[in-house]
Amino acid sequence: MDDHRATRIEARPAPALRRYVSSYVGFDLRGFPAGVHCGPPGRVLTAVISLSGPLEVATGVDDGSPVTRFDSVAGGLMCRSVAIHHDGHQQGVQLSLTPLGARAVYGLPAAALAHRLVPLDELLGALGVELVDRLRTATGWAARFAALDELLLRAVGRGAGGDPAPRVRPEVAEAWRRLVAARGRVQVGAVAAELGWSRRHLTEWFRGEVGLSPKTFARVLRFERAHELATAHAPLPWADVATLSGYADQAHLIRDWGEFTGRSPTAWRRGEVLLGTA
């Protein structure tokens, strides 16, 4: 572990993409022990393009889910971690799409990808193949991020009418925004009432577009905050993580941690060899 090296470069997408794409992250991890990294669920849809060997990924951790090899992979919103098998070396680019971005970039609602991992070229076709090739032949992170801007703008531009975003109900987009802004610490019924909808109506439309119910998405957001605190360079005690993330107590955090990672907090921290690289 003393000789490990972790490089992480983050960039913002072009302004025209920012309502659809949250971020680009380039990563180069070397010298870590081999293991299984828990890719946690969160607010965004993630796509990863490997710049080294194929990615070996399963849709669950320690649950017997089959491991699939991808050169590039896209996933929908999840309510459990994906298992990323690695030999201690990973290099690639990750892009994070909002649920609104699924329609704009992939041409389908985020719900169509919920709980799934698919090859990126299955969604983008020839554009996905070109994207992988451009990123692998580019010299440096700036060139890779520029290629992402160019090709994702082309993906958005080829959508119906050039802008598929209006097909998302504005009430659903606003509910997503409010849940994210509150990091899940808001009552779904209150959000529905503010939008002039019943809770049941909001739940049906939200799940149909995003792939998770508003209640489940709020739980994912609370877990996402807890995961951020637990992976900080100076991690807090678990009781403090629970309080700051909006859990009623540490027991509720432990329950959700087990559900979303497949491991107890203690077992997760002991087994996660890539801690400190995020």
Side-chain angles (χ1 to χ4, degrees):
M1 286 291 286
D2 292 339
D3 297 328
H4 73 256
R5 186 181 76 191
T7 299
R8 183 181 189 275
I9 307 295
E10 186 167 355
R12 296 192 70 193
L17 289 170
R18 289 176 190 168
R19 62 188 298 206
Y20 310 126
V21 185
S22 298
S23 67
Y24 303 144
V25 176
F27 57 89
D28 189 352
L29 311 175
R30 301 172 186 263
F32 290 86
V36 179
H37 169 57
C38 294
R43 72 187 68 185
V44 294
L45 290 78
T46 300
V48 179
I49 299 95
S50 175
L51 302 178
S52 50
L55 299 159
E56 297 187 349
V57 189
T59 54
V61 177
D62 299 338
D63 65 353
S65 296
V67 177
T68 305
R69 292 163 66 90
F70 298 94
D71 287 324
S72 61
V73 60
L77 293 184
M78 307 274 186
C79 54
R80 60 178 179 170
S81 296
V82 298
I84 304 167
H85 296 252
H86 62 87
D87 61 3
H89 172 212
Q90 287 189 321
Q91 184 183 31
V93 178
Q94 175 179 304
L95 52 144
S96 300
L97 275 65
T98 67
L100 186 66
R103 283 193 183 271
V105 176
Y106 299 147
L108 44 74
L113 291 172
H115 315 296
R116 296 178 60 208
L117 298 171
V118 300
L120 187 60
D121 57 12
E122 184 177 306
L123 300 174
L124 294 179
L127 199 62
V129 176
E130 182 181 353
L131 177 60
V132 173
D133 183 64
R134 290 276 299 276
L135 293 184
R136 288 182 173 175
T137 57
T139 55
W141 295 113
R144 293 183 183 113
F145 296 144
L148 278 169
D149 276 346
E150 177 190 336
L151 292 168
L152 292 179
L153 284 167
R154 281 165 53 189
V156 171
R158 72 183 184 180
D163 184 5
R167 286 182 284 178
V168 179
R169 288 287 298 260
E171 294 89 349
V172 173
E174 178 62 14
W176 180 85
R177 188 196 67 78
R178 294 189 186 198
L179 287 165
V180 168
R183 291 184 177 268
R185 302 174 70 169
V186 63
Q187 294 296 318
V188 174
V191 173
E194 291 170 2
L195 296 173
W197 281 6
S198 70
R199 176 171 179 151
R200 179 178 178 180
H201 193 59
L202 174 61
T203 296
E204 290 175 352
W205 276 93
F206 194 94
R207 183 187 288 115
E209 182 65 38
V210 174
L212 304 179
S213 71
K215 181 178 179 180
T216 299
F217 185 60
R219 288 182 61 211
V220 167
L221 289 169
R222 288 193 294 272
F223 167 79
E224 181 184 55
R225 175 58 175 159
H227 190 271
E228 290 173 358
L229 295 170
T231 54
H233 289 293
L236 296 170
W238 288 111
D240 292 342
V241 170
T243 299
L244 292 172
S245 304
Y247 287 94
D249 51 40
Q250 188 173 338
H252 283 80
L253 169 64
I254 292 171
R255 179 202 65 193
D256 273 13
W257 201 277
E259 180 174 335
F260 291 138
T261 72
R263 298 173 176 173
S264 70
T266 302
W268 167 85
R269 181 164 278 166
R270 185 173 58 244
E272 185 57 80
V273 299
L274 298 183
L275 276 178
T277 66

